[in-house]
Amino acid sequence: MREATRTTQRWWRWRSNPLRRRADIVEAWIVLVVWTVIAAGGILAGLVAGHAAEESFAQLRRERHAVAAVLVKSRAEPVPTGEAGASERVRAKVRWTASDGSPRTGWTLVGSGHKPGSGVVIWTDSRGQLAAKPPTTGAAAAEAALLGTGAALTFGGLTFAAGRFARWRLDQGRYEEWSREWAQVGPQWGRKAR
């Protein structure tokens, strides 16, 4: 039994060929540039985005502090927090002392089951305002990696789309060129030889 022979040639656009058009060389360069930009730019975009996210989370951890507070009043209905495995949290009014010594009150989420007058831990920012708990180091690293991966994939997708658009424009030019050539040659095919 005879094996099938391969009819396509690798790197044919780069080889010298009398049938090779200028558009074929341009397309070869577009493909090379697009894949190089996707590889190098995607890695760079992912690293920059991941580093920026990690730095932002580290700044949150530096600026936010746990503060002891007293529960003043709470609502009965739990608020979904979206955190897996987190206990039910309720919206509650709390009272705490700011770093400048002034008493403050505000509404925040606390664990359910606390009664008015009991102590709770809240998080405040550098100005003494209520803030959300900052992400842990592990959660921040995972989220930064996810953001970096998303940035790399987005950059790669946009670059690939730009390359496909450029190749589509080349194809449109080829179709127009073929139409012009066919308009010249096509009518001659209908004539009878004498």
Side-chain angles (χ1 to χ4, degrees):
M1 180 181 247
R2 199 173 132 180
E3 290 185 31
T5 58
R6 184 179 171 115
T7 58
T8 59
Q9 294 283 327
R10 290 186 186 268
W11 311 105
W12 68 271
R13 288 183 179 94
W14 298 100
R15 295 181 183 175
S16 179
N17 183 337
L19 299 177
R20 183 180 66 187
R21 299 162 295 198
R22 181 178 162 275
D24 295 332
I25 296 169
V26 171
E27 183 177 19
W29 278 105
I30 288 172
V31 170
L32 179 66
V33 167
V34 163
W35 285 109
T36 303
V37 169
I38 286 174
I43 290 170
L44 183 63
L47 290 174
V48 167
H51 179 69
E54 183 64 44
E55 185 59 36
S56 174
F57 294 137
Q59 183 177 353
L60 282 178
R61 286 192 300 276
R62 285 190 302 268
E63 291 179 351
R64 296 187 179 173
H65 308 287
V67 176
V70 176
L71 183 67
V72 176
K73 178 171 57 171
S74 69
R75 297 197 175 150
E77 68 275 359
V79 177
T81 60
E83 296 176 12
S87 62
E88 288 185 348
R89 307 200 28 108
V90 295
R91 191 153 167 79
K93 186 173 185 178
V94 294
R95 182 178 61 241
W96 74 98
T97 304
S99 58
D100 63 2
S102 62
R104 305 243 177 122
T105 59
W107 289 88
T108 188
L109 294 176
V110 298
S112 63
H114 293 287
K115 301 210 183 290
S118 62
V120 293
V121 175
I122 61 169
W123 289 85
T124 61
D125 60 16
S126 57
R127 297 176 318 216
Q129 301 295 322
L130 287 171
K133 180 180 178 181
T136 63
T137 305
E143 193 165 345
L146 187 63
L147 289 170
T149 302
L153 291 174
T154 301
F155 180 84
L158 290 173
T159 304
F160 183 78
R164 288 299 299 159
F165 178 75
R167 290 177 70 191
W168 176 79
R169 290 293 300 144
L170 278 175
D171 286 342
Q172 297 306 309
R174 288 179 186 135
Y175 296 149
E176 290 168 7
E177 185 180 342
W178 289 336
S179 294
R180 284 191 304 272
E181 290 174 359
W182 184 253
Q184 293 172 354
V185 176
Q188 296 175 6
W189 284 38
R191 296 183 187 163
K192 292 184 179 180
R194 292 183 189 177

